[in-house]
Amino acid sequence: MEKLVDQGRKNVIPILADARYPEQYVHIVKAVDIAYIDIAQPFQAKILADNADVYVKSHGYVMLVIKAMSIDVTKEPSETFKREIDVLKDRGYEILDMVHLEPYDTAHAMVIGRKSS
Ligand SMILES: C[S@@+](CC[C@H](N)C(=O)[O-])C[C@H]1O[C@@H](n2cnc3c(N)ncnc32)[C@H](O)[C@@H]1O
């Protein structure tokens, strides 16, 4: 970790932990303005909300890369995008924007949201 800091990335540190369990790195991470998540997991919006509930400041932002094929290969990506967005809404996040990442990344979308309180 010290080596990465020495390489000039003074505001980036690796955390070797499972993002599905945000309580496991509560001793390392402080409150943040933005949470960005881009992981190949079946419950991506839930993982983002679980982390943002703990770490993102009031009215802070969340950025979710939805990787539709990592969630359900049998469904149309648009259906999966909607499902993940609905998870964020149900968890109290306001959706500010959603952009399809095609043709740069197949079946991917980026969602920007905001924590309500
Ligand atoms: C598409 S890559 C992300 C690339 C990253 N945005 C970047 O620019 O380097 C997906 C990453 O999610 C990580 N990942 C998958 N499940 C995870 C989990 N439960 N906790 C933490 N990371 C996970 C994988 O190890 C992989 O590095």
Side-chain angles (χ1 to χ4, degrees), residues 15 17-21 36-41 47 65 67 108:
I15 301 171
D18 189 329
R20 293 173 298 173
Y21 307 104
Y36 171 96
I37 196 163
D38 176 15
I39 60 171
Q41 283 285 329
I47 294 170
V65 178
K67 309 162 88 60
H108 281 60

Side-chain angles (χ1 to χ4, degrees), residues 15 17-29 51 55:
I15 301 171
D18 189 329
R20 293 173 298 173
Y21 307 104
E23 67 283 354
Q24 290 185 354
Y25 36 92
V26 76
H27 59 292
I28 301 172
V29 183
N51 279 272
Y55 296 113

